[in-house]
Amino acid sequence: MEISVNGTTLYCKKTGAGAPLILLHGNGESHEIFREAIPLLAEHFTVYALDTRGDGKSAPAAVFHYTDMAEDVAAFIEALALEKPAVYGFSDGGITALLLAIRRPELLSRIAVSGANLRPAGLTRGFLAYARREYRRT
């Protein structure tokens, strides 16, 4: 299915039944990285495997910002009236999930993240200060 949100069109593969679970792939990938996991997860959840802006079958994007992708997912949740979905993000999808949880925690039931990093050297003091400010702001 395709859905227009936040000034872009996202592709989503929806399957299964149960509580909503959103899967977010990494940079330059698509929902296809979850092809083996989706059937297993669909036994217990309604799985929404998104192609983020500019990737997979979603609309092309000239510029990529994690904050835009987090807002895309928030708008996706609101447009489909999903009730507190869980979100799993891998790599850049993990960064998107973390930003979504920081900025819009009321939308989510929980998140799981793997492979998310700001840069290979890890977290800097500056990022930790930023994260603390954002956390206090919400």
Side-chain angles (χ1 to χ4, degrees), residues 26-88:
N27 181 30
E29 299 171 331
S30 74
H31 71 280
E32 289 293 327
I33 69 162
F34 301 115
R35 71 182 162 275
E36 293 180 30
I38 290 171
L40 299 171
L41 293 167
E43 293 176 11
H44 305 281
F45 300 95
T46 301
V47 178
Y48 297 87
L50 283 176
D51 284 349
T52 54
R53 63 171 54 214
D55 287 325
K57 297 179 182 178
S58 288
V63 180
F64 296 89
H65 297 287
Y66 293 122
T67 53
D68 291 340
M69 290 186 271
E71 285 303 315
D72 292 348
V73 178
F76 176 84
I77 292 167
E78 292 172 335
L80 294 180
L82 300 180
E83 189 172 332
K84 296 214 175 252
V87 175
Y88 168 72

